[in-house]
Amino acid sequence: MPLLDIRNLQLEFGTGRDAVRAVDGVSFTIAEGETLCLVGESGCGKSVSALSIARLVPTPPARYVGGEILLNGCDVLKMDQRELRSIRGGVVSYVFQEPSASLNPVFRVGNQIKESLKLHRPQFATDDEVIRLLKLVGIPAPESRIRDYPHQMSGGMQQRIMIAMALASEPKLLVADEPTTALDVTIQAQILELLRDLKARLRMSILLITHNLGIVGDIADRVAVMYAGQIVELSPARALLQRPLHPYTQALMNSVPQLGHELDRLQAIPGNVPNLGQFPRGCRFHPRCPKAQSDCSQKAPELVEVEPGRWVRCPYWK
Amino acid sequence: MGTFILKRLLHMIPILLGVSLLTFLLMSLTPGGYLQSLRQNPQISAETVERLLAKYHYDKPWYVQYLYWLKNAAQGDFGYSIQYKIPATDLITARLWNTFLLSLFATIVAWCIAVPLGIWAAVNKDSLVDRACAMVAFVGLSVPEILLALLALMFAAATGWFPIGGAQSSRYDELTTLQRLWDRAHHLVLPVLVLAASELAGIMRQMRSNLLDTLRAEYVTAARAKGLPEGWVIYKHALRNAINPLLTIFGYSLAHLLSGAFIVENIMAWPGLGRLTIEAYTAKDSMLVVDSVVMATALLIVGNFVADVMLAWSDPRIRLKE
């Protein structure tokens, strides 16, 4: 049994005729110790899918229309508030995009970490344990840092604090929602290095959400590419990077600048990401797709396993 | 924190100097004066008037008068009220105390009702309670204090439950200590309620929107993601941040209370600083006008200072900037 098994998740914002389906039939699994990268442009539904694992999307305005989110075999969508609180932090922890906004500005960082400990490992809610966690995420002189307020730290330090806070409860799954997007490039590399190191040491599963294919190769075991609320390609990371199958994935890869290649200009994907709720008929990518055929605008393709472990939502992938 | 407080205290001095100078200048620019009007009285000889003018330095240019005033004020002597014929210091102290009592209780009443209501409205957004609060706030913001004060007077006159004006009854001196306390409280009720009612609506709406803002913040989602119970998320993580802008408003609300007190004191005959200022101005008792304006300013500055200190205590980011 995989640690996380999302089956045909459907989520809408709003009600009735104005309802907008932000996540439409998303399914993926994460095994214990595995790292899955969820890749896609802004507004493709990747963050909402990830927040759904602990049911953190506010309802209303959102509404779960269908599907199951099995965490350790229990459906998160059927849990009551008490059960939800025990899995939040207890089984799945989150690291968010903007560390300066995700830490509460008026509490000392040590206390914010201790709060997690009190909830999930009360016998370890001590300064010593907080210091151990800060050392684990590579904060220098942790003894003097626990009494700092978030604004006294740099962005990279703040993100390390967020990671320490997420790890405090010893979760089985760490969800990192664009953890490096708000940081400098050099700090990005450090944070990714830290995540990879922690994953090996703590045998955690990681769900890493990113819009940057560049970091996929560093850390991911498998990759799911999302477009307009659907997964369009799901594949082992190495295979996907070597030979992307879906036209959207190929287009994404072409738009990543590469060192050592002489290129006149970067390849951009023509057109725009469709707005939520205004998805085109048939394949949602067909208006921007270089390989589109005449029937792409008529028939919505299914996600099909075309090679062992490789799933593609495109009948013309060859 | 110590240097922060010291700095803020030192900031008060130039403000008080500026306000007193400006008031002095404005008073000297208006024609006439209390003593000058004595000249019209045939029973008072011209020599007496001249003597009085000289005694209180009214015969000198305004800046010389100001320097005399400043010199005495620095020693705690705020001059002499020629209208009341007693030292201005005694007069001001009594009136300042009355205004302080009125503002203090109005603040307490307004905040103790507005803050919980605002929180309740934010947590139960769009509920019936929220809508009812919005309605009440709308009415509260629209009705001017003058009208409220007049209505309160009508109410007191019609029911006889509360005294109509004043701060104490005429037989105050015959009462025991406990009865005196009760008598003063009884007189305070209506002015306090009128003043508080005009404050309440604004604070309530502000509290509501602050809390709604912080409830949308990412650190609130992060707190939820930790597995904190919803009550902790709202009352610890969100509310603690929603309070900060409200502390800034505390300073403004004090200014509003003081100006409101001017109106309420005059209509409800509350012997406070606001009433004194207007009486002194009407009688052209210029020294007293300057004194009361300076006192009102001091009250306002101290209120803002208290708000600043509370904000610095509540928000670590402010403390560091200073």
Side-chain angles (χ1 to χ4, degrees):
Chain A
M1 185 179 68
L3 173 65
L4 174 73
D5 187 354
I6 298 184
R7 294 179 184 168
N8 194 27
L9 181 68
Q10 290 168 315
L11 176 141
E12 284 182 358
F13 285 105
T15 49
R17 303 184 83 209
D18 301 329
V20 167
R21 187 157 293 192
V23 177
D24 195 5
V26 164
S27 304
F28 61 85
T29 62
I30 298 181
E32 252 175 69
E34 187 186 28
T35 298
L36 180 84
C37 262
L38 201 53
V39 183
E41 288 167 278
S42 312
C44 70
K46 56 191 194 302
S47 287
V48 176
S49 303
L51 284 172
S52 295
I53 298 168
R55 231 165 81 197
L56 283 170
V57 186
T59 47
R63 195 162 58 90
Y64 289 99
V65 184
E68 290 174 317
I69 299 174
L70 301 175
L71 197 58
N72 272 334
C74 304
D75 190 353
V76 174
L77 296 182
K78 293 199 177 76
M79 287 184 179
D80 62 28
Q81 284 300 320
R82 209 172 48 85
E83 289 171 300
L84 275 179
R85 284 207 301 274
S86 75
I87 64 150
R88 287 173 183 170
V91 185
V92 48
S93 280
Y94 283 83
V95 174
F96 297 104
Q97 177 173 350
E98 192 83 55
S100 59
S102 307
L103 288 164
N104 196 322
V106 300
F107 297 118
R108 298 179 197 277
V109 292
N111 286 341
Q112 298 194 46
I113 295 172
K114 217 183 267 175
E115 202 175 40
S116 256
L117 289 170
K118 277 182 194 154
L119 283 167
H120 300 287
R121 293 196 299 147
Q123 68 276 26
F124 289 105
T126 59
D127 280 355
D128 289 343
E129 177 64 8
V130 174
I131 291 169
R132 188 188 71 82
L133 284 163
L134 292 185
K135 275 190 190 138
L136 187 69
V137 297
I139 293 213
E143 293 83 1
S144 62
R145 284 302 202 170
I146 57 173
R147 288 184 58 75
D148 276 6
Y149 287 99
H151 68 271
Q152 290 166 286
M153 298 183 149
S154 65
M157 285 291 167
Q158 289 174 341
Q159 196 58 297
R160 284 171 197 265
I161 296 286
M162 278 304 289
I163 294 172
M165 197 156 84
L167 296 180
S169 52
E170 297 189 335
K172 294 223 167 59
L173 172 65
L174 181 72
V175 180
D177 187 354
E178 308 222 14
T180 60
T181 306
L183 305 174
D184 294 343
V185 181
T186 47
I187 311 293
Q188 280 186 18
Q190 290 174 14
I191 294 288
L192 283 178
E193 181 60 38
L194 173 68
L195 283 178
R196 200 164 40 184
D197 173 51
L198 289 171
K199 176 196 155 192
R201 273 207 270 170
L202 307 176
R203 287 207 40 77
M204 275 185 314
S205 307
I206 296 181
L207 174 59
L208 181 70
I209 297 157
T210 177
H211 61 251
N212 183 356
L213 266 175
I215 67 177
V216 167
D218 287 337
I219 192 164
D221 299 318
R222 284 195 301 144
V223 183
V225 181
M226 277 188 80
Y227 185 79
Q230 296 177 325
I231 290 183
V232 294
E233 182 165 0
L234 182 66
S235 160
R238 183 157 307 182
L240 180 122
L241 291 176
Q242 281 168 355
R243 190 167 58 96
L245 298 184
H246 194 279
Y248 176 62
T249 319
Q250 291 166 355
L252 270 186
M253 299 267 288
N254 286 337
S255 61
V256 176
Q258 300 200 324
L259 281 179
H261 288 251
E262 289 274 335
L263 262 182
D264 289 341
R265 54 186 305 165
L266 274 176
Q267 298 276 311
I269 307 176
N272 287 313
V273 182
N275 284 330
L276 278 179
Q278 292 170 351
F279 300 134
R281 253 170 72 85
C283 172
R284 292 178 181 179
F285 187 57
H286 85 263
R288 306 171 73 189
C289 180
K291 295 183 175 172
Q293 310 286 321
S294 57
D295 64 339
C296 284
S297 59
Q298 300 304 320
K299 218 170 119 243
E302 295 291 317
L303 191 65
V304 188
E305 187 167 22
V306 295
E307 287 172 19
R310 299 204 68 176
W311 298 71
V312 178
R313 193 186 289 274
C314 179
Y316 304 106
W317 62 273
K318 278 179 183 149
Chain B
M1 195 75 176
T3 46
F4 173 80
I5 291 177
L6 193 71
K7 258 187 183 170
R8 281 298 149 103
L9 282 172
L10 288 177
H11 281 171
M12 290 182 186
I13 297 170
I15 298 177
L16 285 177
L17 280 177
V19 166
S20 58
L21 187 67
L22 207 63
T23 321
F24 233 99
L25 178 63
L26 286 174
M27 280 310 286
S28 68
L29 287 178
T30 57
Y34 186 79
L35 290 173
Q36 279 81 349
S37 64
L38 291 183
R39 289 206 180 99
Q40 265 100 58
N41 190 335
Q43 291 178 330
I44 301 173
S45 67
E47 295 88 70
T48 318
V49 174
E50 294 314 316
R51 195 168 45 76
L52 281 170
L53 279 174
K55 184 177 173 195
Y56 299 115
H57 312 298
Y58 280 115
D59 53 346
K60 307 201 172 58
W62 70 270
Y63 47 87
V64 180
Q65 289 182 39
Y66 178 67
L67 290 176
Y68 272 114
W69 178 86
L70 205 60
K71 182 181 135 236
N72 291 331
Q75 295 164 347
D77 172 14
F78 285 94
Y80 187 82
S81 163
I82 36 179
Q83 177 202 1
Y84 288 91
K85 314 223 165 21
I86 52 171
T89 315
D90 299 349
L91 199 60
I92 297 258
T93 321
R95 297 300 186 95
L96 191 63
W97 173 244
N98 278 338
T99 293
F100 175 72
L101 274 186
L102 181 61
S103 305
L104 179 73
F105 283 110
T107 309
I108 293 174
V109 170
W111 284 69
C112 286
I113 297 174
V115 169
L117 267 185
I119 295 172
W120 195 14
V123 173
N124 303 298
K125 185 173 173 269
D126 295 330
S127 68
L128 209 66
V129 179
D130 184 27
R131 277 155 213 251
C133 284
M135 260 313 263
V136 173
F138 181 69
V139 174
L141 284 170
S142 318
V143 177
E145 277 143 6
I146 299 182
L147 192 63
L148 267 181
L150 287 172
L151 285 175
L153 274 190
M154 267 176 65
F155 173 76
T159 60
W161 295 344
F162 294 102
I164 306 169
Q168 55 201 38
S169 16
S170 46
R171 43 184 203 90
Y172 185 73
D173 291 333
E174 304 157 21
L175 301 176
T176 63
T177 317
L178 210 64
Q179 282 170 321
R180 283 183 182 188
L181 219 60
W182 165 248
D183 185 58
R184 302 220 54 163
H186 197 203
H187 280 81
L188 257 173
V189 173
L190 278 186
V192 163
L193 285 184
V194 169
L195 208 51
S198 62
E199 269 299 293
L200 208 147
I203 302 170
M204 186 175 84
R205 296 304 284 176
Q206 197 70 42
M207 181 72 238
R208 177 182 178 274
S209 68
N210 286 348
L211 189 54
L212 283 179
D213 277 351
T214 50
L215 279 174
R216 274 194 290 268
E218 278 178 54
Y219 54 78
V220 167
T221 308
R224 258 188 214 120
K226 275 187 197 174
L228 284 173
E230 193 60 18
W232 283 35
V233 173
I234 294 173
Y235 294 107
K236 188 178 169 191
H237 283 262
L239 189 59
R240 189 64 177 61
N241 282 281
I243 284 289
N244 290 346
L246 218 63
L247 292 177
T248 316
I249 291 180
F250 180 80
Y252 292 114
S253 98
L254 214 80
H256 184 213
L257 270 182
L258 277 178
S259 60
F262 268 54
I263 296 166
V264 173
E265 281 173 5
N266 270 294
I267 293 177
M268 306 188 83
W270 181 261
L273 200 59
R275 213 163 112 86
L276 182 71
T277 313
I278 293 181
E279 281 168 4
Y281 183 77
T282 330
K284 289 265 163 196
D285 193 348
S286 50
M287 213 60 88
L288 196 56
V289 174
V290 176
D291 288 342
S292 24
V293 170
V294 168
M295 279 306 146
T297 313
L299 207 58
L300 188 60
I301 297 177
V302 170
N304 269 309
F305 170 70
V306 171
D308 279 349
V309 171
M310 285 199 299
L311 188 62
W313 169 76
S314 163
D315 191 339
R317 288 166 296 183
I318 307 268
R319 226 176 299 164
L320 238 89
K321 263 185 228 148
E322 293 297 319

